[in-house]
Amino acid sequence: MTPQQWHAAVTIRRWNAQPSDDQLAEITRVLPGYGIIVDTGVDRVRLEMTIEASTVRQAADAAVRAARTAHSQAISSAPEVTALRVITAEDHEREISRPHPMSLVGNAEIARILNVSRQRVEQLARENEAFPAPVARLAAGPVYTRGSIDAFNTGWQRKPGRPKTT
């Protein structure tokens, strides 16, 4: 089989201490092809790279090996791999040229989802630390992902009625 280009994303558990800029640069330098590090905002980090291999299996093995090598050289420890995604470079280019639409909501939609007024949504956004950050702020107001609002709603402990005055 003829070798081809593959795009690989290896997700690892985030390291305990924040790595230095030099360590991050070393990881990206060691990753094959065009290597980047993506902070996923949780306890995971995604290392993305370009691999040349004949099969998807060979590309997957090479990607995990490369991620472990890069991490070990820069951080001096072996990473815990938690996820792996390998697609052809052609499919990767197609995906990034046509991103998936996001399910976005504004304050009016959030008010309906949470069954509160728009003013209450604005108050929650200001005062509740668990309320998600907007992905954008437009002239019409903040915009959130539907998933982040659904997650907030699941964990939100409502306090019905008005607060008691003393």
Side-chain angles (χ1 to χ4, degrees):
M1 217 172 183
T2 308
Q4 65 175 329
Q5 296 288 313
W6 300 86
H7 177 83
V10 181
T11 304
I12 61 173
R13 189 172 306 279
R14 183 191 301 270
W15 35 81
N16 291 335
Q18 178 64 32
S20 69
D21 289 343
D22 289 340
Q23 288 172 314
L24 294 174
E26 177 66 8
I27 291 173
T28 57
R29 187 190 67 73
V30 174
L31 290 174
Y34 178 71
I36 62 170
I37 300 172
V38 179
D39 187 342
T40 62
V42 289
D43 65 341
R44 305 283 192 269
V45 175
R46 192 171 62 243
L47 307 179
E48 296 190 14
M49 66 204 83
T50 305
I51 300 285
E52 187 167 313
S54 297
T55 67
V56 68
R57 176 60 189 229
Q58 290 172 349
D61 291 344
V64 170
R65 232 181 358 264
R68 286 187 171 139
T69 299
H71 187 276
S72 296
Q73 285 182 14
I75 310 291
S76 300
S77 66
E80 178 188 346
V81 175
T82 61
L84 171 66
R85 181 170 189 247
V86 178
I87 59 175
T88 65
E90 181 181 315
D91 285 345
H92 175 66
E93 289 300 321
R94 190 177 304 114
E95 282 184 5
I96 62 174
S97 69
R98 294 185 194 101
H100 298 288
M102 294 177 70
S103 180
L104 302 174
V105 293
N107 286 348
E109 293 86 5
I110 295 168
R112 283 194 299 276
I113 293 165
L114 300 180
N115 197 27
V116 297
S117 69
R118 286 190 212 176
Q119 292 80 9
R120 178 66 172 137
V121 170
E122 292 169 7
Q123 180 185 26
L124 286 168
R126 279 191 317 271
E127 298 175 5
N128 190 316
E129 291 180 8
F131 199 83
V135 294
R137 291 190 186 276
L138 307 176
V143 179
Y144 303 84
T145 62
R146 172 67 191 248
S148 67
I149 297 302
D150 289 341
F152 171 78
N153 194 22
T154 300
W156 182 36
Q157 296 188 2
R158 295 173 186 256
K159 297 176 185 169
R162 296 189 178 273
K164 292 181 182 179
T165 58
T166 55

